[in-house]
Amino acid sequence: MSGRRKLLLVGLAVLLVVLFVVAVGAGRGDRGGPDDDGAVRWLGRLVGDSATVDPATVRAGCDRTGDTLTVVGGCVLRVADPDGLRTLVLRSPDRFRVTAPAPRDAGFTVDDEVEPGEDGTAVAKVAVDRASEITVGCAGGVACAVTIGS
């Protein structure tokens, strides 16, 4: 093995040990939650933002003003093929329900009711990897506003 390869392998091993130490040291004793800012999220921001679905590629079967939908009862969103795994982000000040196909030919549908958090905004993040139809509905069948965004 050449000296250059040995140096490369030693450098890679040192980098892996440093990343492990940072990840363990930055962690906490609790299990955490999906909104926690931990080492993994920090590394993700360092590498770059995750890809989100462009709101312009989403067609809606309900009234739409810009990126805001007025949902009465239910609304079907048709997302164009994003050419890879992307995240469709939906926000609302009200509780709403989302039904979407699981990515990667999983063969089942995901159904969730999203509640507003401490900031007063309900946020749903839907994984999309192909052209899909996603249903959005408001709690109690009343009208609500849902924004497509990042």
Side-chain angles (χ1 to χ4, degrees):
M1 185 181 300
S2 70
R4 183 174 268 179
R5 284 187 180 173
K6 286 180 186 177
L7 182 63
L8 181 63
L9 286 174
V10 169
L12 182 61
V14 169
L15 177 64
L16 288 174
V17 169
V18 168
L19 287 175
F20 176 76
V21 169
V22 168
V24 170
R28 297 183 309 245
D30 62 356
R31 294 184 58 98
D35 296 328
D36 289 343
D37 281 337
V40 173
R41 188 171 299 241
W42 176 80
L43 288 171
R45 282 193 303 259
L46 183 67
V47 173
D49 292 332
S50 63
T52 57
V53 171
D54 180 7
T57 64
V58 179
R59 303 287 174 246
C62 53
D63 289 338
R64 180 175 180 168
T65 305
D67 293 336
T68 302
L69 309 170
T70 302
V71 179
V72 180
C75 180
V76 176
L77 308 179
R78 289 174 182 80
V79 180
D81 189 354
D83 292 326
L85 185 62
R86 303 282 185 264
T87 304
L88 175 65
V89 180
L90 304 170
R91 299 179 189 278
S92 177
D94 304 308
R95 184 176 67 193
F96 67 98
R97 181 176 236 40
V98 178
T99 304
R104 307 265 196 248
D105 299 328
F108 64 93
T109 301
V110 178
D111 186 32
D112 192 20
E113 191 163 307
V114 187
E115 299 277 343
E118 292 178 9
D119 65 351
T121 304
V123 179
K125 295 181 180 179
V126 181
V128 179
D129 66 348
R130 62 185 179 277
S132 302
E133 288 190 357
I134 297 164
T135 305
V136 177
C138 301
V142 298
C144 67
V146 177
T147 303
I148 304 168
S150 57

